[in-house]
Amino acid sequence: MSALINWKRTVSTLTLSALLLGTHSVADASTTIKEKQEQQKKVEEQRNSVKQNQSNTSSKIEQNTKEISKVQEEVNKMDAQLQDIIYDVAAKRQEIKRTEMKIEDLEADIKGYEKKMIAQEKMMKERMATMQTNGGGSINWAEFIFGSKNFSDLITRMITAGTIQRSDQELFNDYEATRLSLQEAQAELKAERASLLEQQKALEARQAELEKKMKQREARIKELEEKNIEFETQIFDLQEIEATLIAQEEAIAAEIEAQRREEEEARRRAEEAARQEAARKAEEARQAEAAKAAAAQQAEEARAEAARQEEAAKAAAAQAAAQKKQNSNTNSQSSSSSNQTTQNNVTASKPAAPPASKPAPKPAPAPAPKPVPTTPTTSAPAPSSAKFIQPTTGRFSQGFGPASGQFGYSFHNGVDIAGPVGTPIRASATGTVIRAGWGGAYGNHVMIAHVIDGQVWTTVYAHMNSVSVSAGQRVTQGSNIGTLGNTGNSSGPHLHFEIHQGSYSYSSSSAGSTVNPRQFF
């Protein structure tokens, strides 16, 4: 009984424990599900937040990219405008320098004329004093002197009145010519000074405009820097452009001088070739004359020999005839001896056969003329007959003419030839290098001055990978000047090539001095 009760207690305890344990497990499971649901909700909220942040970030990036692109375009346009102004300012400064140099020359000329006139006036005063002393009684000198406005007017009055002798006319004419030259120089000096003032005013106005535009550009860039927006922008500075203009003038002068030297050398070579040809012909003529004289002498000797032989033959015949006559008059002593003697005499009297005449010697052949030695010359490979050649191989990726303005210019002043980096670039025509190296939006570039049939041309090769020439160097058409690249304001490997009729002059909105290069290819 006690064992049964104990068993019941045990079963009860186990059952209660099981019930208690079962209740706790259900409660724990319910708590875990809620926590997981809350965690999942938090994760989804975090995901949504991340997605939103990503969307906001992408939107900001896109907005910044658009703003950078917009500002880049804006700054490019500013740069293009500034380039025009900078080149104009530099050109005006060069123009002012030339005007100042001309004014200096005119001032020196005026001083020379004034000095010459003082000496001439002194000589003429002495001459007039002599005229008054020697034969001036009939001349009213007071009327001439006091009625004249100045010394020149006095001379004019005297010339008009015919009081100056012919021997003095040349002296006074020289003075008058000096006076007129002085007046012209003074008038030109006045005009040049007025022109200089106008040039200086125009320069000041353009410089003020340049400073204003530069401040606007700097302010815009600073505004972007404060927003931590970075972008690249390049522009030629004033010093570079002035240096380019000066180098351009020097290159043109050097090219003209090089062509002058080439023409002189070509003329010298032509004269030397003509001299050598004349010497060769003279030598040939001399040798022909010598051969002709030798042949004539040989012919004369042959005729003399023939005449001598003919005379010898005649003498032998005469001797034979005389001997025959003598033999016919001689008496025979005996028949046998007479016959024998006669036979002997006849045999003995037979004239010897005249020697055979020697044939006239053949004239010796004239020696072949010796070639006249010539001086070896070397020259550069002959250039193409085309005025300009295509500077590199590749595909024309952009032509000459109006542009969209995306890169700050509304007119494309050259042609773009796309190709692999490192493709050789050749000089389009013979000329002198203005500048070679890095600079502004052109990146690595070369400028060459050409003078063709008296016309100045300028070619530009931009965005090069490497440059193999230097400023001041003279290059021939087709020679290597560097390789194609992707430097400066370039969106891919290509050569930007320009041809300017005249000096280099930049313009972002019109053709300016440029012409379409493809018309020459």
Side-chain angles (χ1 to χ4, degrees), residues 60-188:
K60 287 180 180 179
I61 291 172
E62 185 178 355
Q63 183 179 353
N64 285 349
T65 303
K66 288 180 179 179
E67 187 171 0
I68 291 171
S69 178
K70 181 180 178 181
V71 172
Q72 179 70 71
E73 184 177 348
E74 180 183 344
V75 173
N76 283 343
K77 288 180 179 179
M78 285 183 180
D79 287 353
Q81 293 172 356
L82 285 170
Q83 296 278 52
D84 290 339
I85 298 172
I86 288 171
Y87 272 103
D88 192 26
V89 167
K92 287 187 186 311
R93 286 188 176 181
Q94 291 298 313
E95 186 179 359
I96 286 173
K97 286 181 181 178
R98 285 191 291 269
T99 303
E100 288 173 344
M101 291 174 65
K102 190 173 183 180
I103 287 173
E104 289 178 1
D105 292 340
L106 286 170
E107 287 175 343
D109 290 343
I110 288 171
K111 287 181 180 179
Y113 290 141
E114 290 174 342
K115 185 177 180 180
K116 185 177 180 181
M117 285 182 67
I118 290 172
Q120 289 173 331
E121 287 177 0
K122 182 180 179 182
M123 291 177 64
M124 288 189 293
K125 285 175 182 177
E126 291 175 356
R127 182 59 189 149
M128 284 189 289
T130 303
M131 291 169 59
Q132 183 179 8
T133 302
N134 295 337
S138 61
I139 302 173
N140 189 350
W141 289 96
E143 180 181 348
F144 275 110
I145 295 172
F146 295 108
S148 302
K149 297 178 182 178
N150 49 43
F151 189 78
S152 178
D153 188 35
L154 171 62
I155 298 300
T156 304
R157 283 171 175 264
M158 293 180 69
I159 293 173
T160 305
T163 58
I164 293 179
Q165 298 178 10
R166 289 185 178 180
S167 59
D168 300 315
Q169 188 72 44
E170 185 176 348
L171 175 63
F172 292 116
N173 286 345
D174 190 25
Y175 173 80
E176 185 66 13
T178 305
R179 185 182 65 82
L180 291 175
S181 297
L182 175 61
Q183 286 181 349
E184 291 174 359
Q186 288 173 334
E188 188 176 0

Side-chain angles (χ1 to χ4, degrees), residues 266-304:
R267 184 166 54 251
R268 187 195 66 77
R269 288 179 180 175
E271 290 174 354
E272 178 65 18
R275 186 191 65 77
Q276 292 178 356
E277 180 64 15
R280 184 186 66 78
K281 289 182 177 180
E283 178 64 18
E284 287 179 352
R286 187 193 66 76
Q287 292 178 356
E289 189 65 27
K292 184 178 178 182
Q297 183 179 357
Q298 290 176 354
E300 183 63 27
E301 290 175 353
R303 283 194 297 271

